[in-house]
Each structure stands twice: as structure tokens, then as C-alpha cells.
Amino acid sequence: MTVGHYLTEAVKQMGDFPEDWLNDLRRKGQLHVERTGLPTAKIEEWKYTPLKFLNGANYAPDVHHGHTIGEKQLPADLFSDSLVRAVVCNGLFRRDLMRGRETMPKGVSLTSLSRMINEYPGFVAKYLGKTGMTETQIMLALNSQYMTDGYVLHIAKGTVVEQPIEILFYGEGDKVHKPSEAPMFHPRHLIVMEEGAQVTIIEHHTGKDSYVANHGYEIFLGKGSTCHHYRYQNESASAAHIATTNLILQSDVS
């Protein structure tokens, strides 16, 4: 089980949530993008990251192709003997390609954002969209507008995950030379760690041909928790990778 009893009980205690919260978040992201526009070199944080290639690009999420990618297309040599391996293809969490689901340690939940929204909306509503979307984080606003999937990792109070959790992000686009003509996807990821939890997350980002991946991360670390989060990129030379990471930390966090 990737969504355990402990998480079900936690969700029950959260109470009601706004019925239209997700659409409100999408509209907030859309309005922010329309009002601010894409970041330019005039903004200090984006001075050396030009995004002109996105002008006129197709911002609509392209995750449908993610359903058609088979395991034989994935680079098998990237993985170690990790306890858990998850796969995200073109922004789509592929439950059928996940390994280690049956031996998931007690107190660990790893599943798709789309599933969590459908089955545990109260849990997602508590965390999703609680950080970012400032003037300098316009790409997170764009992500909020178009996100459809990603991964949600929840580590229960006091749970120590001894072996790394590995996640492979595989992108496959079109054989074009301009990123603005390539498919674009906007995966959104939540990492929620309760008090005293410990985990190591290793992400591998790879793919082929032209695509634009615009990731959004929201990480919540409880008191005394420890999260080692590594991201390795070895993507196509004609692909573009953008990621916005925000954290909310309680005291005594490393």
C-alpha cells in the first residue's frame, strides 16, 4: 500500500476543505502569469536564465504521451539497489512502473498527485499552493495553472527510511530544434515530513528530443526532521528544465 492507514487517519482529522480550492489555485496562477508575464533579465534572479524561447510556446500540459512510454525505453543503468523506485514520464506518475511498492516501509507514502487529489483532497489542500507565486516565482504560477500530476511523498512522525527513495523523471518530446515548438509539462511535487522523520531522495532527470519540463516543489519539514534531496540532470541538449523549490521549515530542522 502506498497510502497507508496512518495517512487516512491524518486526513480525517483535517476536517472540511473548500470544494473549489483546486480551481481557485489554477485561476490564481493564471491571473499571476497574465499580470506579470514571463521573467526577464531585468529581474535579478533571472538575469542569467533567459526564457525568451518560451514566447509563443504551447503551455498546455503534455502528459498523454507519458502513458505510452514503456519500461524498455527507460535507462536501466541509473538505478542502484534502492528500496523504492518511482517513475514519472512527461510529468505523469507511472504507478505501473513503480518498484518496491509492496515492501514500502511502514510510515511512508509515495503516490501520484492526481490520485491524492481524487482520494485525499483534504490532505493536498492543506499543502498545495501554500508557498511561492511571487513576482520572481512566475514559473511556479505557470505550473499551478497547468499542473496535472507529479509525486506526493509523506513520511510519518519518527519514521527513519534507511535506504534512498529513487525517482526517475523521463521526458520524451518531439524531434524539433526549438523548445517553443516542443511539448511542455508541469509536474508538481509535495514532500511532507513529520516531526523526527528522515529520508534521502535521489532524483534522476533524463530524456530525449525536445521538451520543456517546468517542475514545482513544495517541501514541508517538521521539527527535527532530516531530508537529503538530490537531483541529477542528464537531459537532452534540446530540452529545457525549469524547477522552483520552496520549503517550509519548523524549528530544529536539518
Side-chain angles (χ1 to χ4, degrees):
M1 294 290 292
T2 54
V3 182
H5 174 73
Y6 70 94
L7 181 54
T8 303
E9 291 302 314
V11 170
K12 289 180 180 178
Q13 297 174 15
M14 291 181 184
D16 296 330
F17 60 95
E19 293 183 0
D20 208 28
W21 65 273
L22 185 56
N23 286 332
D24 287 344
L25 179 60
R26 293 191 189 283
R27 283 194 292 268
K28 181 180 177 181
Q30 179 182 1
L31 292 173
H32 196 63
V33 172
E34 291 176 350
R35 181 177 64 252
T36 307
L38 292 175
T40 67
K42 295 181 179 179
I43 300 176
E44 182 64 27
E45 290 83 350
W46 293 91
K47 186 175 181 179
Y48 301 105
T49 310
L51 296 177
K52 291 182 179 179
F53 67 88
L54 289 178
N55 291 326
N58 177 20
Y59 294 148
D62 175 39
V63 298
H64 302 293
H65 184 58
H67 287 283
T68 67
I69 296 172
E71 188 165 13
K72 292 183 179 180
Q73 295 171 254
L74 305 179
D77 60 333
L78 284 180
F79 294 104
S80 62
D81 295 328
S82 58
L83 184 65
V84 178
R85 184 201 81 176
V87 178
V88 179
C89 297
N90 280 30
L92 177 72
F93 187 97
R94 290 287 300 274
R95 181 178 170 83
D96 59 312
L97 298 178
M98 187 174 178
R99 298 292 178 266
R101 185 170 60 244
E102 298 79 7
T103 57
M104 188 84 70
K106 183 180 179 181
V108 179
S109 168
L110 176 60
T111 190
S112 68
L113 176 64
S114 59
R115 182 188 178 194
M116 290 295 292
I117 289 174
N118 290 328
E119 299 183 11
Y120 301 93
F123 180 87
V124 182
K126 181 180 179 180
Y127 297 104
L128 193 68
K130 303 305 181 183
T131 65
M133 282 205 283
T134 64
E135 181 179 348
T136 60
Q137 293 194 342
I138 189 65
M139 298 308 294
L140 185 64
L142 188 65
N143 177 285
S144 298
Q145 181 181 354
Y146 289 112
M147 63 180 175
T148 58
D149 206 4
Y151 74 82
V152 178
L153 176 64
H154 179 258
I155 311 293
K157 181 178 179 179
T159 300
V160 177
V161 185
E162 299 290 350
Q163 293 178 272
I165 292 176
E166 293 194 83
I167 303 174
L168 170 64
F169 288 89
Y170 181 78
E172 189 169 284
D174 296 330
K175 293 181 179 180
V176 297
H177 299 291
K178 296 181 180 180
S180 60
E181 299 174 2
M184 190 174 192
F185 36 91
H186 306 264
R188 185 67 158 261
H189 318 296
L190 290 179
I191 300 173
V192 180
M193 300 187 61
E194 297 184 10
E195 181 179 347
Q198 297 181 32
V199 72
T200 295
I201 307 165
I202 301 175
E203 294 183 5
H204 304 273
H205 295 260
T206 186
K208 70 175 186 176
D209 298 329
S210 297
Y211 58 85
V212 180
N214 177 34
H215 295 267
Y217 294 83
E218 292 184 276
I219 304 174
F220 300 82
L221 302 182
K223 182 178 179 179
S225 64
T226 302
C227 179
H228 299 284
H229 189 194
Y230 302 93
R231 296 205 291 261
Y232 297 96
Q233 291 178 243
N234 185 26
E235 300 186 75
S236 167
S238 58
H241 177 112
I242 304 166
T244 305
T245 302
N246 288 312
L247 300 92
I248 293 182
L249 299 86
Q250 295 183 11
S251 60
D252 299 323
V253 175
S254 62

